[in-house]
Amino acid sequence: MAVAGVPDGFLEGEQDEDQQRAILELLTRAYWMEIETVMNYIAASIGQDGGGGLAVRTALKEGVEEEVEHARALGRRIQELHGVVPDDGGLAAGEEQRQPLGRQTDVTSTIEAVVATETSAIRHYLRIMHLSARFDADTSALALNILRDEQRHLRLFEGYLRELRSGS
């Protein structure tokens, strides 16, 4: 049933199954990206020491908490859309699987890897927003909120990289 001013597929029961399946796939991929980021940030935060490494270690530790909350929010949204929150094995199935954060004691390598990870996450959340914008306002809003966090993380670590490269 069409309602004036409401896009087709927006009302419960009208959303195209292929559209919902595609959104669930992107959400599931995002969930695993967040889980992988948590693992990498924990490992990298343990390996950082020394002057510049301390600030990076602190930022990575703080980032872990945010990334865990992102995974939780994504899992809740997957469940709300009648999907199944993955419990294992999905990490290896990701097409855009990220790599570990370089040599964990090399601050520059770690920061460069974080910048690449955050850039990849930003692209992914933009995809989710684009796909869900007309059909699923809640998913689009969730992606926007997480996108803002990822953009903030990117700016923070780009700042660390500029400082290291300038010798400050």
Side-chain angles (χ1 to χ4, degrees), residues 59-157:
L60 289 169
K61 284 181 181 179
E62 291 171 3
V64 165
E65 299 305 319
E66 284 190 6
E67 305 297 341
V68 167
E69 186 49 43
H70 294 165
R72 285 185 180 127
L74 290 161
R76 285 189 299 269
R77 189 67 191 141
I78 290 167
Q79 185 177 23
E80 290 165 358
L81 294 174
H82 303 288
V84 177
V85 179
D87 58 3
D88 65 11
L91 188 59
E95 289 177 22
E96 294 181 21
Q97 191 173 15
R98 298 181 201 157
Q99 298 300 313
L101 295 180
R103 296 183 316 241
Q104 295 170 357
T105 57
D106 177 1
V107 176
T108 302
S109 174
T110 297
I111 295 170
E112 288 171 344
V114 170
V115 167
T117 295
E118 296 299 343
T119 301
S120 175
I122 288 167
R123 280 195 301 268
H124 191 74
Y125 287 110
L126 287 170
R127 275 187 222 116
I128 293 172
M129 288 173 56
H130 176 74
L131 183 62
S132 63
R134 289 187 51 225
F135 302 98
D136 184 348
D138 289 338
T139 297
S140 185
L142 172 63
L144 176 61
N145 287 334
I146 296 174
L147 173 69
R148 288 177 179 145
D149 288 344
E150 303 299 1
Q151 289 171 328
R152 186 174 39 77
H153 295 159
L154 177 62
R155 282 190 304 275
L156 175 67
F157 283 91

